[in-house]
Amino acid sequence: MSCPMCGKPMVKAYRPFCSRRCADLDLAKWFNGSYAAPSTDPDDIEAAIEAAEAAADTPPKPH
């Protein structure tokens, strides 16, 4: 089996990846939403619009 990120041979300690670096790169893709599946559910769309409007109405917090 090869690493899904770079194609090098898999290392058992990082299965299915070849290294900690490739495992971390994959985790980063999960965190930034690269693996997200788009939704066409109208309820999801409405919730996203409401959240965006609420965020726009909220004044920024001072640091």
Side-chain angles (χ1 to χ4, degrees):
M1 178 178 203
S2 61
C3 176
M5 296 302 293
C6 70
K8 292 180 182 176
M10 177 198 70
V11 173
K12 190 173 184 178
Y14 301 108
R15 185 178 167 208
F17 306 102
C18 68
S19 66
R20 176 68 183 209
R21 180 182 181 276
C22 281
D24 287 345
L25 289 172
D26 182 70
L27 184 61
K29 285 189 171 192
W30 283 103
F31 283 150
N32 73 20
S34 294
Y35 292 141
S39 173
T40 56
D41 184 357
D43 292 337
D44 290 342
I45 295 169
E46 285 183 30
I49 291 171
E50 289 172 4
E53 289 172 349
D57 292 340
T58 305
K61 295 179 182 178
H63 295 303

